[in-house]
Amino acid sequence: MNRRDFTQTLGLGAAGLFMPKIPALARTVTAEELLEPGLDIAIKKRLADVALNAATAKGATYADVRIARYLNQYVMTREDKVQNIINTESFGVGVRVIANGCWGFAAMGETQSEDDVARTAEKAVAFAKAHSRLMKKPVQLAPQKGFGEVSWKTKVEKHSFEIPVKEKTDLLLAVNGAAMSNGADFVNSTLFMINEQKYFASTDGSYIDQDVHRIWPNFTVTAVDKSSGLMATRESLSAPMGRSYDYLQTNPTDKLTGVTTRYNQGYDMLEDATAAAKQARLKLKAKSVEPGKWDLILDPSHTYLTIHESVGHATELDRVLGYEANLAGTSFATFDKWKSKNFNYGSKEVNFFADKTQPGSLGDVGWDDEGVKTKKWDIIKDGILVNYQAIRDQVHMLGETESQGCCYADSWSTVQFQRMANISLAPGKERLTVDEMIKDVKKGIYIIGDGSYSIDQQRYNFQFGGQLFYEIKDGQIAGMLRDVAYQSNTQEFWNSCVKVCDERDYRMGGTFFDGKGQPAQINSVSHGSSTARFNGVNVLNTGRKI
């Protein structure tokens, strides 16, 4: 194995830490049975009732059960070779209860007989009673009505798992070929595809069946200047989506980037790879940025990550309360700031909302993993912090009686807890295009795509890079820059936001493998915005002189 293959394999191994877990498959009730029309729901409902009845018989005052099957496929290529095709399948049952005022959880995946399900529920109750001896305060669970028997499905036109693997590898190899023939020296491309078949039931009276699909096509192209030894990369500008294979389709092209992600209609991977190879070559010859204060025009393909790190994680209530500190800490947006009702998180142009119902988003589902109907709510209004992200056992702290529906687990084998909802920057209210926004900029940088970043344990001080950087001089694009990163803190940065384009420019980005918790779990979440302008931001030069 050469150095490059070793490095890539090591990277995939690290990414694998955040991939869904792969326990043993079912035996008594097979996955094939669960998929058989007319039988799957009946079998799952019967098993759920067994778990709920067993839990309450042992003294649980509340119980819920998740019966889930997770299908994952990852297709990976490099230049003209298929490197790996990974298929995983996981099926099992997780039971969560409240007994003696305390949470308890147990899961099983090796067999699904009714006796085994009942024993799992009884274990959950036993754990809750044992833990209650150390409990300081009993769980205060927000009331939740039962929904009866209901279902929800991702809108699917082309089912990813019904598309032949050869068609997928042919696409990726064609993408690689397009990049190589347009100036790339190296290229890796990947398709991540996920299908979650989740059945939830609770003593509240809900029996919820959901079929969730997600997809992420992506690549990295590298161009090398052999005379100087410098390398430049450009990663795909695709947005991972809560869709299936129909996301890979052609749509009108953005004039500057050459990429068809605008309006989230679809993604032309071949066109993006062609543009990426050419742009990677241009990056090698681009002017190195002069550090100092610049006005920034940030494309939604970039802002999603800044939103995720500085607003999404910062307004998770468990981080705010100090209950969760793994993977980059707690939050500066403490309770006292929210209680003041006037904490200035950003300028009056800044409005953030959480929305678990946005079609095509990674977080788009009908109900969360504790049976709460998903919804939309405000996080920051006219620059003021007005709410957080909370679940059933947290919302009483906010003086609310209804969960916000953002409780999830990444497997039937893990307990559900508070996870980030889709957190998005609302579009501007006045009609404004990107071209019109650029015309007013005297000295600025237009940043497209996400890059390396760092942020402190309080989600406050940060630094972000990107994929493409264009200098703006006197209202005109003046050429490409390189070695760009900007540095700020959350409050200062969002207060420097002076304009946001209208809803015609609204697009989503997102993260497929967002880690949180200990043991770590993953989550998929989208962040939407329109192109936004930030004045007087500190820009660093991250490169070296040729």
Side-chain angles (χ1 to χ4, degrees):
M1 178 180 289
N2 63 34
R3 181 181 178 87
R4 181 164 178 263
D5 285 338
F6 173 78
T7 303
Q8 184 186 8
T9 303
L10 184 65
L12 291 173
L17 294 174
F18 293 103
M19 288 183 179
K21 302 167 183 63
I22 313 170
L25 298 181
R27 290 292 180 266
T28 303
V29 176
T30 67
E32 287 73 20
E33 283 182 286
L34 285 175
L35 289 179
E36 188 174 340
L39 283 180
D40 56 326
I41 297 297
I43 293 172
K44 286 185 272 193
K45 186 175 187 298
R46 188 183 75 228
L47 291 175
D49 282 335
V50 167
L52 298 178
N53 291 334
T56 53
K58 288 294 183 177
T61 54
Y62 169 83
D64 61 45
V65 55
R66 289 175 293 114
I67 303 171
R69 181 182 184 223
Y70 295 81
L71 300 174
N72 306 277
Q73 185 178 81
Y74 312 121
V75 182
M76 305 170 184
T77 69
R78 168 188 160 185
E79 284 95 53
D80 60 350
K81 295 179 178 62
V82 177
Q83 285 198 298
N84 212 341
I85 298 171
I86 300 173
N87 290 285
T88 72
E89 180 174 340
S90 168
F91 170 64
V93 176
V95 182
R96 186 181 68 156
V97 305
I98 297 176
N100 289 357
C102 186
W103 284 118
F105 176 76
M108 53 167 285
E110 292 186 359
T111 180
Q112 309 305 334
S113 71
E114 292 186 13
D115 288 343
D116 287 333
V117 171
R119 280 193 290 270
T120 301
E122 291 167 355
K123 285 181 182 179
V125 176
F127 290 148
K129 290 181 177 179
H131 295 158
S132 69
R133 301 181 190 128
L134 303 174
M135 179 179 62
K136 294 182 179 180
K137 291 182 180 180
V139 173
Q140 189 172 333
L141 200 63
Q144 177 59 54
K145 72 171 185 177
F147 291 96
E149 295 186 42
V150 291
S151 63
W152 184 94
K153 292 183 178 182
T154 300
K155 184 179 179 182
V156 171
E157 296 176 17
K158 292 183 180 179
H159 195 304
S160 293
F161 291 85
E162 294 176 357
I163 303 298
V165 171
K166 185 178 185 305
E167 184 174 331
K168 297 167 185 172
T169 57
D170 285 348
L171 170 63
L172 294 183
L173 292 175
V175 164
N176 297 354
M180 296 292 287
S181 63
N182 282 279
D185 290 289
F186 305 104
V187 57
N188 298 290
S189 59
T190 307
L191 279 175
F192 291 99
M193 292 154 286
I194 289 177
N195 177 211
E196 298 178 352
Q197 301 163 12
K198 303 194 295 184
Y199 187 84
F200 172 92
S202 74
T203 50
D204 291 325
S206 291
Y207 295 89
I208 302 167
D209 188 57
Q210 300 193 89
D211 185 25
V212 182
H213 292 256
R214 300 186 182 101
I215 188 169
W216 182 26
N218 72 99
F219 61 76
T220 301
V221 303
T222 302
V224 180
D225 184 339
K226 295 179 181 178
S227 62
S228 66
L230 291 179
M231 295 189 299
T233 63
R234 209 278 254 164
E235 296 181 5
S236 61
L237 297 181
S238 63
M241 299 293 285
R243 293 175 60 175
S244 202
Y245 207 75
D246 46 274
Y247 176 47
L248 295 166
Q249 61 184 5
T250 303
N251 285 285
T253 303
D254 179 86
K255 290 184 292 183
L256 180 60
T257 64
V259 181
T260 57
T261 54
R262 197 172 291 276
Y263 310 122
N264 297 318
Q265 293 175 343
Y267 173 60
D268 191 326
M269 202 173 185
L270 277 166
E271 188 176 64
D272 191 10
T274 300
K278 296 175 181 178
Q279 289 162 349
R281 281 280 153 207
L282 290 173
K283 288 173 77 171
L284 290 170
K285 300 177 182 180
K287 181 174 66 174
S288 190
V289 70
E290 290 294 330
K293 297 290 185 181
W294 294 74
D295 293 346
L296 302 182
I297 305 295
L298 302 183
D299 186 79
S301 61
H302 173 86
T303 50
Y304 90 84
L305 185 59
T306 311
I307 292 169
H308 178 85
E309 300 296 343
S310 68
V311 182
H313 279 307
T315 57
E316 293 175 298
L317 188 56
D318 55 354
R319 289 191 185 276
V320 169
L321 296 170
Y323 297 167
E324 170 60 49
N326 199 29
L327 297 176
T330 54
S331 173
F332 80 97
T334 51
F335 236 33
D336 58 308
K337 295 180 175 66
W338 168 72
K339 288 181 177 179
S340 73
K341 300 185 184 301
N342 62 2
F343 177 67
N344 184 231
Y345 207 107
S347 70
K348 290 187 179 297
E349 304 297 325
V350 172
N351 293 279
F352 279 102
F353 62 91
D355 189 355
K356 292 289 298 179
T357 66
Q358 284 182 287
S361 68
L362 291 169
D364 183 23
V365 292
W367 287 264
D368 75 352
D369 282 354
E370 54 181 3
V372 177
K373 185 73 174 172
T374 53
K375 64 179 182 179
K376 176 180 178 180
W377 69 99
D378 290 326
I379 298 289
I380 296 167
K381 190 72 173 174
D382 298 327
I384 303 299
L385 176 67
V386 297
N387 212 332
Y388 296 105
Q389 305 164 67
I391 57 177
R392 287 186 69 181
D393 62 0
Q394 298 172 342
V395 290
H396 67 276
M397 303 178 197
L398 301 174
E400 298 182 14
T401 58
E402 182 181 278
S403 169
Q404 294 163 342
C406 50
C407 189
Y408 294 90
D410 67 352
S411 168
W412 53 266
S413 63
T414 54
V415 67
Q416 57 269 57
F417 70 128
Q418 192 270 305
R419 295 309 309 263
M420 194 187 304
N422 298 320
I423 304 294
S424 299
L425 175 65
K429 297 176 183 178
E430 297 181 6
R431 289 177 67 86
L432 180 66
T433 66
V434 177
D435 289 341
E436 290 167 343
M437 179 181 284
I438 289 174
K439 284 180 181 179
D440 293 335
V441 177
K442 297 296 182 183
K443 177 191 174 186
I445 304 173
Y446 186 12
I447 303 180
I448 296 168
D450 63 321
S452 62
Y453 74 96
S454 64
I455 193 165
D456 69 15
Q457 297 290 87
Q458 293 293 301
R459 298 284 163 177
Y460 196 64
N461 297 291
F462 60 68
Q463 178 176 311
F464 285 90
Q467 293 297 315
L468 299 171
F469 311 99
Y470 294 92
E471 182 179 7
I472 303 170
K473 187 181 294 184
D474 296 325
Q476 299 289 328
I477 298 292
M480 188 178 283
L481 297 172
R482 60 180 173 84
D483 306 328
V484 178
Y486 61 88
Q487 184 182 57
S488 188
N489 66 60
T490 297
Q491 197 175 6
E492 179 182 86
F493 177 76
W494 290 109
N495 271 282
S496 73
C497 181
V498 294
K499 290 183 180 180
V500 183
C501 289
D502 63 60
E503 61 185 5
R504 295 171 297 168
D505 187 56
Y506 183 87
R507 287 163 276 156
M508 285 186 285
T511 173
F512 219 60
F513 300 117
D514 176 37
K516 183 181 176 183
Q518 192 172 4
Q521 293 191 37
I522 63 165
N523 185 45
S524 296
V525 60
S526 292
H527 305 287
S529 74
S530 299
T531 302
R533 176 176 171 176
F534 299 80
N535 281 355
V537 180
N538 189 40
V539 170
L540 310 176
N541 185 305
T542 62
R544 60 184 177 89
K545 299 296 183 183
I546 297 176

